[in-house]
């Protein structure tokens, strides 16, 4: 059953708060209303459009600075970073990222986003990937926006190895997950 | 103890026969002689230089044709292909593939070479990576040449899933290994 406007707007606010990078198209599908309706809802609720929301996040100064590589070598845009703890990046899937035949994103681009985020989150001048265990859980299409979230899970046994788990989403759907085993030159402080 | 010229030339021929993409630099190091000596050895033995050896292999018509993607979407140059059996590609590591800071090849390029080879070897219009388990076993530096070898290991249980093992070498040293679980649209014929 379709929700009343009031119910929908409450849920809309909650949804955008928990998944700020959701598109109007995804919201429209989720609430089974037109994109126009979502836009009007956002207007009434004073929620800026996605592009503005991302810009806003991107303009916030990152809490930390990437140490392990120049920031322009990170694949995707880093929008949050706590060294040796967590990081988030966004990659917009364009023509250059997809198979020409079916417009499905090529695996190595999702891997590159996740792997470079796993490098960037390390609080060390040197971070190299030793191994990775990855899963592609849902096809990603051209124009979709992939949000990768990295979380550092320190193992106590060896301070020069750090495990980073990266989960990547389109909206609220998991599209990629990976566990990266990273070498670092200095033992972690944690 | 350094070998006699005759011994060295016999071993040189064997080495190039078993690892045809080995460079003169690697041969010089292996036999503890100068690069000039290796060049003279090759001249006497009428073994063409590496560039010619690769060209020769690349010009041989491939036994099969890539079906799962346009050949120019394969990362690296395919020099051997037997659909649903095995494939080999070569990727030369240039400036664009390395971290600016230490000239070490970025993991996602080695991954891209291996993953696209795992796609290319599949005898199907559609091949997608479901998951992968990978290892970076040795750092690869700028100007090195990575030879990736894919081998298809069919599991009988599910004909729409194919496992492809890819091992990548610089000279005779393993630099990357990965096991890729691939989806295909049509069951394999094997």
């Amino acid at each position: 059953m379709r929700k009343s406007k009031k119910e929908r707007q409450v849920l809309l606010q909650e949804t955008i708060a928990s998944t700020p990078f959701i598109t109007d198209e995804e919201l429209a599908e989720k609430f089974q209303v037109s994109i126009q309706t979502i836009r009007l809802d956002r207007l009434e609720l004073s929620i800026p459009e996605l592009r503005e929301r991302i810009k806003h996040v991107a303009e916030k100064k990152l809490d930390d600075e990437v140490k392990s590589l120049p920031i322009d070598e990170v694949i995707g845009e880093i929008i949050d970073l706590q060294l040796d703890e967590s990081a988030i990046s966004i990659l917009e899937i364009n023509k250059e990222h997809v198979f020409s035949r079916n417009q499905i994103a090529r695996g190595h681009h999702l891997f590159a986003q996740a792997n470079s985020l796993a490098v960037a989150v390390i609080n060390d001048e040197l971070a190299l990937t030793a191994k990775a265990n990855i899963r592609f859980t849902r096809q990603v299409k051209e124009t979709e926006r992939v949000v990768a979230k990295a979380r550092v899970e320190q193992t106590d046994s060896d301070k020069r190895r750090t495990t980073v788990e990266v989960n990547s989403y389109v909206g609220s759907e998991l599209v990629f997950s990976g566990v990266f085993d990273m070498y670092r030159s200095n033992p972690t402080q944690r």
Side-chain angles (χ1 to χ4, degrees), chain A:
Chain A
M1 206 188 72
R2 249 165 79 151
K3 291 173 174 53
S4 76
K5 179 176 169 182
K6 203 166 171 181
E7 285 178 306
R8 186 182 66 236
Q9 291 197 343
V10 170
L11 285 172
L12 187 74
Q13 252 174 327
E14 289 176 5
T15 304
I16 292 179
S18 64
T19 53
F21 308 118
I22 194 165
T23 62
D24 286 349
E25 288 74 10
E26 289 162 343
L27 288 165
E29 199 176 312
K30 185 181 171 88
F31 295 109
Q32 293 181 276
V33 294
S34 69
I35 293 176
Q36 193 52 31
T37 303
I38 296 292
R39 285 191 190 134
L40 289 171
D41 280 350
R42 280 201 296 93
L43 217 60
E44 287 181 29
L45 298 165
S46 305
I47 299 174
E49 59 167 354
L50 175 60
R51 195 164 295 274
E52 288 303 312
R53 298 201 298 275
I54 290 178
K55 223 172 103 187
H56 177 73
V57 175
E59 278 169 357
K60 268 201 317 186
K61 209 184 147 342
L62 295 179
D63 292 325
D64 285 328
E65 268 179 34
V66 178
K67 282 184 72 175
S68 57
L69 76 176
I71 196 156
D72 61 353
E73 293 190 4
V74 176
I75 316 293
E77 186 176 9
I78 294 201
I79 56 161
D80 187 41
L81 178 68
Q82 261 105 38
L83 286 174
D84 273 350
E85 286 186 16
S86 65
I88 299 178
S89 79
I90 296 186
L91 179 68
E92 204 157 325
I93 300 301
N94 302 323
K95 212 184 176 83
E96 81 221 47
H97 300 116
V98 299
F99 285 109
S100 61
R101 201 176 276 179
N102 49 27
Q103 285 75 54
I104 296 174
R106 305 192 59 173
H108 65 264
H109 294 299
L110 301 187
F111 176 84
Q113 179 189 16
N115 192 23
S116 64
L117 193 63
V119 172
V121 76
I122 304 284
N123 187 13
D124 199 316
E125 303 293 320
L126 181 77
L128 292 171
T129 310
K131 52 185 182 173
N133 210 317
I134 62 176
R135 256 164 213 279
F136 298 92
T137 49
R138 185 272 235 174
Q139 293 166 22
V140 177
K141 290 285 203 170
E142 197 175 329
T143 76
E144 288 188 316
R145 186 177 274 106
V146 181
V147 181
K149 300 182 180 183
R151 204 157 48 85
V152 174
E153 295 177 12
Q154 192 53 52
T155 51
D156 288 297
S157 50
D158 183 351
K159 295 282 191 190
R160 284 184 203 275
R161 291 289 277 263
T162 297
T163 303
V164 182
E165 188 181 329
V166 182
N167 290 303
S168 301
Y169 301 87
V170 170
S172 57
E173 284 184 272
L174 186 71
V175 296
F176 170 95
S177 70
V179 177
F180 296 84
D181 243 47
M182 311 297 296
Y183 283 114
R184 55 198 302 152
S185 57
N186 294 308
T188 163
Q189 304 302 308
R190 288 170 68 200

